Amino acid sequence: MHTQNTAAQSDRSTPDTQPPGPDEQPAPPARSRGAALVGWVVTIALNVVAPIVTYNALHDHGWSEFSALLVSGAWPVLDSAVHFVWRRHLDEFAVVTLVFLVISAVMSLVGAHSARALLVKDSAVTGLFGLLCLATLLAPRPLMFYFGRKFATDGTEASTVWWNDLWQYEGFRRTMMTMTAVWGVAYLLEAGVRAALAYVLSTDTMVILSPVLIYGVLGALALWTGWYAKRSQRKGEELAAAAATAQ
């Protein structure tokens, strides 16, 4: 989500600070490949791989879904703790992951416990993610701003400051808002379609189809996000060139 083409006010700017023109947008600092690689590995390992492995291992050994989900949620907590100790800043990505693990655990206790009910509950979790995306459009920063910072920087102070400062550009704000809105609507639609199919198709079919829908939508959104970010970057460069010519 590399969008260095955009704009508005950074958290540190004063009211009388004039935002730079489109031709003065800062380039990203040199990234440390080692730091970026370590950040990616730790994030994926503690927020994705470890919770899944832990949940499956505990569930296979007779633990309830609620207990297994609750224990697997300890990994994002560990990631947040490590990030806080290392950077003195709480990682929003790990917090969101933890919130949804807790929601999943709570959802496993609600209502019936049939296979179809569990499939519908899974749909409810992705639907809640869609609602969260849309709700953050009313917050000071939309959700994709924090997800973008997680994956577009190497976690160092310089790259984090660079990403935060991009918020002062109107184009950058518009890009983050659009991305967040698209992800929110897409996951609400995905949840609705998957919940409806759970009542139409057999459980055996849905067990196969449900992951395909989940990861298919995720993959499509990732491809669209990459395309849209590059498109926004090209537009920003064209505006910068036009402004330079006018001057």
Side-chain angles (χ1 to χ4, degrees), residues 107-127:
M107 290 294 292
S108 69
L109 293 178
V110 177
H113 290 77
S114 65
R116 176 171 283 115
L118 290 176
L119 290 169
V120 173
K121 290 173 184 177
D122 286 342
S123 302
V125 172
T126 56

Side-chain angles (χ1 to χ4, degrees), residues 26-218:
R31 297 182 65 178
S32 167
R33 291 187 177 182
L37 180 61
V38 170
W40 274 75
V41 169
V42 171
T43 295
I44 294 174
L46 294 182
N47 289 277
V48 180
V49 178
I52 292 174
V53 171
T54 301
Y55 170 80
N56 289 331
L58 294 176
H59 194 252
D60 289 344
H61 283 78
W63 287 54
S64 68
E65 289 181 342
F66 175 80
S67 300
L69 281 168
L70 204 57
V71 173
S72 64
W75 293 108
V77 174
L78 177 61
D79 182 40
S80 296
V82 170
H83 192 280
F84 182 77
V85 171
W86 188 16
R87 301 295 185 194
R88 293 294 188 270
H89 175 74
L90 195 59
D91 183 15
E92 294 86 354
F93 181 86
V95 172
V96 171
T97 303
L98 175 62
V99 167
F100 276 91
L101 284 170
V102 173
I103 291 174
S104 298
V106 173
M107 290 294 292
S108 69
L109 293 178
V110 177
H113 290 77
S114 65
R116 176 171 283 115
L118 290 176
L119 290 169
V120 173
K121 290 173 184 177
D122 286 342
S123 302
V125 172
T126 56
L128 286 172
F129 178 76
L131 287 176
L132 176 63
C133 286
L134 297 180
T136 60
L137 293 175
L138 303 176
R141 302 285 191 275
L143 189 60
M144 287 301 121
F145 172 84
Y146 299 107
F147 276 37
R149 187 173 66 189
K150 183 68 176 180
F151 293 107
T153 70
D154 58 9
T156 58
E157 182 178 357
S159 63
T160 300
V161 168
W162 163 74
W163 182 265
N164 291 342
D165 282 346
L166 290 178
W167 187 255
Q168 66 183 293
Y169 299 107
E170 187 274 336
F172 181 80
R173 296 198 307 274
R174 183 174 60 250
T175 298
M176 294 296 104
M177 299 287 279
T178 301
M179 287 180 176
T180 303
V182 169
W183 277 69
V185 171
Y187 268 109
L188 281 177
L189 292 175
E190 182 272 344
V193 169
R194 196 149 52 92
L197 290 176
Y199 287 99
V200 175
L201 303 177
S202 67
T203 300
D204 290 341
T205 301
M206 281 304 299
V207 167
I208 298 173
L209 184 59
S210 186
V212 173
L213 287 173
I214 293 173
Y215 292 108
V217 170
L218 177 61

